[in-house]
Amino acid sequence: MPNPALLNTAPAVRPRNIRAVVVTSPEEVALGTRIAPDCGTNDVLIRPVVVGICGTDLDIIDGSIDPEFVRYPVTLGHEWSGVVVEAPAPGAGTSHLSAGDRVVVEGIVPCGHCAPCKAGDTNRCENYDEFGFTRHGAMAELLAAPRHLVHRLDRGVSMESGALVEPAAVVIRGLLRASPQPGERILIIGDGTVALLAATIIQLWSPGHVTMLGRRSEQAALAATAGVDSFETDPERISQDFDVVVEAAGAADAVTTAVASANRGGRIVLLGFPGHGVTVPLPIDDIVNGDLTMAGSFGYTSSAWAHVVALLNAGRLDFTFLVTHRYPLAKFAEAISALRHSTGQRGKVILDISSEDGATLLG
Ligand SMILES: [Zn+2]
Ligand SMILES: [Zn+2]
């Protein structure tokens, strides 16, 4: 259930400065003060409430992310939900937003006029721009976003589920590339948030059986909640008859396992990042003889994002169970460390920006 304390509307008195977790350059990350964002006439001013942290944030901190996709200094935070502080007047074709509305915001900001954008492939926009990568993200007390990227959450959707729309949109876009069919056998490699979301979301296609190949047995209970039928940690125990294989571990050997585990005619979707420049040898004959399809999937399209929001608002999905670690903004360093050094069961690590004085910033 949503926390009622998160629903407070704040008066529209904009502070000049806000606190934010900023990576000034690789290895340099700190909670500091930044000038509050400008809010243009078509922008919505939002107070982030729940912000997830993921491995990509660690890559941004470490400087190991492909430099094409980041611009320092950058405020972290690309998985988040928030509450509207100020919204523009209703325009043609857009439903009105009001202060206090609970929202999520597409992270990728498509230019809208390049060829991929016009074809609906907004994830491949030729003018790449993304909150938390090339523009300031949501680990901050305020964020301004273009109105057309803002989606309202219904009251029954938790802010935690909202914060997971971003990785869920990545997952649903990847799963659609594999065209799952009811009754099929699914293998998910990995046991982190993306893998657990894949297990949750694949249920929409009524799979015959879902196996997860994880690394840590402590993840088995979360996997079962997500809908996994069998959880394994030993690749030797994985059969070779899967119709759909989702690689969500981000490890080179996982790609080898994915190819070895697919049935003839199988579809393999790669969602993980083993690291910029990492390569792996593949058994080419087996891929050809197996009539296999391998697809990479980058980010999400605007339509994948809207799809996830519609499913949440319809009550068909709920990701709240995935949040296992929660920290206030001031303890962001502990949150990052919880992600780096996992022991025990670990789902999504979040910063709850409402749980300290950040909530009263505008009050
Ligand atoms: Zn992420
Ligand atoms: Zn574009």
Side-chain angles (χ1 to χ4, degrees):
M1 285 301 292
N3 176 353
L6 306 185
L7 305 179
N8 293 339
T9 356
V13 179
R14 278 189 224 158
R16 223 164 332 153
N17 293 308
I18 55 167
R19 291 185 306 158
V21 178
V22 180
V23 186
T24 31
S25 60
E27 313 283 353
E28 298 286 334
V29 59
L31 175 62
T33 305
R34 209 190 78 206
I35 295 174
D38 280 334
C39 188
T41 48
N42 291 315
D43 287 344
V44 183
L45 191 66
I46 302 164
R47 176 166 62 81
V49 171
V50 172
V51 185
I53 311 179
C54 84
T56 310
D57 293 310
L58 301 184
D59 293 341
I60 294 172
I61 294 170
D62 298 342
S64 59
I65 189 170
D66 185 336
E68 294 272 310
F69 293 98
V70 70
R71 195 176 306 138
Y72 299 99
V74 64
T75 300
L76 292 174
H78 59 273
E79 304 181 0
W80 63 285
S81 55
V83 172
V84 172
V85 174
E86 264 182 73
T94 58
S95 64
H96 187 49
L97 284 172
S98 312
D101 280 350
R102 307 151 78 251
V103 292
V104 288
V105 179
E106 291 174 46
I108 296 174
V109 183
C111 76
H113 49 71
C114 70
C117 276
K118 284 188 171 151
D121 301 318
T122 50
N123 60 325
R124 285 190 269 117
C125 173
E126 289 170 1
N127 301 291
Y128 172 75
D129 193 7
E130 186 169 3
F131 287 103
F133 294 83
T134 49
R135 57 167 79 190
H136 289 302
M139 277 186 211
E141 291 170 319
L142 285 174
L143 184 149
R147 169 66 187 89
H148 68 282
L149 300 178
V150 182
H151 299 249
R152 185 173 15 217
L153 295 175
D154 282 356
R155 292 271 158 189
V157 180
S158 72
M159 296 303 271
E160 289 81 2
S161 278
L164 283 153
V165 168
E166 196 269 356
V170 170
V171 166
I172 210 163
R173 200 276 176 171
L175 291 178
L176 286 166
R177 299 202 72 172
S179 307
Q181 302 298 314
E184 284 194 323
R185 292 175 54 77
I186 314 293
L187 173 64
I188 297 164
I189 305 178
D191 58 17
T193 307
V194 170
L196 293 162
L197 281 169
T200 307
I201 294 170
I202 195 73
Q203 305 300 326
L204 296 170
W205 281 273
S206 305
H209 193 273
V210 179
T211 301
M212 180 171 281
L213 174 60
R215 287 202 191 266
R216 301 190 310 120
S217 56
E218 296 96 315
Q219 298 294 80
L222 272 178
T225 308
V228 167
D229 299 298
S230 37
F231 183 90
E232 302 286 351
T233 52
D234 180 2
E236 300 291 312
R237 290 174 54 86
I238 295 297
S239 61
Q240 301 182 332
D241 59 351
F242 291 97
D243 303 299
V244 172
V245 182
V246 180
E247 197 298 287
D253 61 347
V255 178
T256 312
T257 305
V259 172
S261 311
N263 209 351
R264 291 193 78 197
R267 287 91 68 207
I268 299 164
V269 184
L270 306 182
L271 295 177
F273 293 91
H276 185 47
V278 171
T279 59
V280 67
L282 289 173
I284 298 163
D285 281 17
D286 293 350
I287 294 173
V288 177
N289 288 333
D291 204 24
L292 300 185
T293 303
M294 282 184 86
S297 184
F298 173 76
Y300 47 84
T301 57
S302 290
S303 71
W305 188 284
H307 196 161
V308 173
V309 172
L311 288 163
L312 284 173
N313 283 344
R316 297 283 306 281
L317 291 172
D318 186 345
F319 309 133
T320 318
F321 77 97
L322 276 167
V323 173
T324 54
H325 293 61
R326 183 185 296 262
Y327 297 86
L329 183 59
K331 296 208 168 149
F332 81 94
E334 280 175 46
I336 288 168
S337 153
L339 183 59
R340 274 195 205 277
H341 315 288
S342 47
T343 51
Q345 173 177 273
R346 197 197 65 213
K348 181 52 72 181
V349 177
I350 61 158
L351 290 177
D352 183 344
I353 298 183
S354 71
S355 72
E356 52 175 343
D357 56 327
T360 57
L361 174 80
L362 299 170

